[in-house]
Amino acid sequence: MCQSYRKVCACGQNTSEIFFGKMVLDEKVVAEVYCPKCSLPIDPKQDGRVWDNGWVLQLNMDVVRIHAPSMGISPEDVTADWVFDNGYATWVGMTPDDFQKRELERSEIQKLAKTDLRAYINTLREWGLNREKRFVQEGWRKAKTS
Ligand SMILES: [Zn+2]
């Protein structure tokens, strides 16, 4: 079973969905999430922050260090970037609000299924491929590492 957790960003205008891989960490590790609107004034160098296209996932590093041995890394070596890139605390989709956008886009395409099944299948396939390309172009962290 995998756990996911929705967290509203610091300014309250956006929601991210976070996934905790391998059931090591849970929502207690998430200190704060900043969207591109509210991440501007924060310090990019502070410990415990993962930056992704203007979004910031701020982890509680005390909690991270406690769980470091369960993740196969020493408490001294573990960083927020490492936790994110290894999937212990990461976005559910490719981007923080992918889960919302994906449903919107898919329901648009779904309308085609009622009128033209073949067009629907083709559109759906193209949509999947284009999404991947778009995420790489936009430079999302998970699109680059995977
Ligand atoms: Zn925000």
Side-chain angles (χ1 to χ4, degrees):
M1 197 191 81
C2 297
Q3 291 191 338
S4 77
Y5 168 62
R6 288 188 183 180
K7 173 95 175 160
V8 177
C9 70
C11 75
Q13 290 183 56
N14 287 290
T15 305
S16 62
E17 190 165 16
I18 299 158
F19 165 79
F20 304 104
K22 298 164 208 169
M23 292 189 72
V24 178
L25 302 173
D26 61 20
E27 63 266 23
K28 286 193 284 294
V29 80
V30 180
E32 196 65 86
V33 171
Y34 299 91
C35 77
K37 285 181 191 141
C38 53
S39 71
L40 285 173
I42 70 169
D43 180 2
K45 287 186 197 75
Q46 191 186 308
D47 193 32
R49 288 178 174 162
V50 182
W51 287 76
D52 193 13
N53 259 2
W55 283 79
V56 180
L57 176 63
Q58 186 173 341
L59 299 180
N60 182 334
M61 290 310 286
D62 291 334
V63 178
V64 167
R65 284 186 199 100
I66 291 166
H67 290 91
S70 312
M71 296 186 280
I73 189 166
S74 74
E76 297 82 49
D77 291 338
V78 74
T79 63
D81 286 344
W82 186 92
V83 169
F84 184 93
D85 293 338
N86 284 277
Y88 289 103
T90 183
W91 315 127
V92 168
M94 294 299 273
T95 72
D97 55 359
D98 190 19
F99 68 101
Q100 295 163 318
K101 290 190 175 144
R102 187 174 45 208
E103 287 315 308
L104 277 177
E105 291 175 7
R106 188 180 298 167
S107 66
E108 275 303 303
I109 299 170
Q110 217 96 42
K111 290 177 193 158
L112 264 181
K114 295 190 189 112
T115 54
D116 187 341
L117 196 60
R118 183 181 290 238
Y120 163 68
I121 292 165
N122 286 335
T123 308
L124 198 64
R125 188 184 300 136
E126 262 173 50
W127 171 66
L129 292 172
N130 288 335
R131 267 166 57 83
E132 279 172 39
K133 278 188 212 147
R134 193 174 74 211
F135 291 139
V136 173
Q137 272 168 8
E138 288 172 355
W140 292 97
R141 211 173 164 106
K142 285 180 81 175
K144 282 187 278 188
T145 49
S146 62

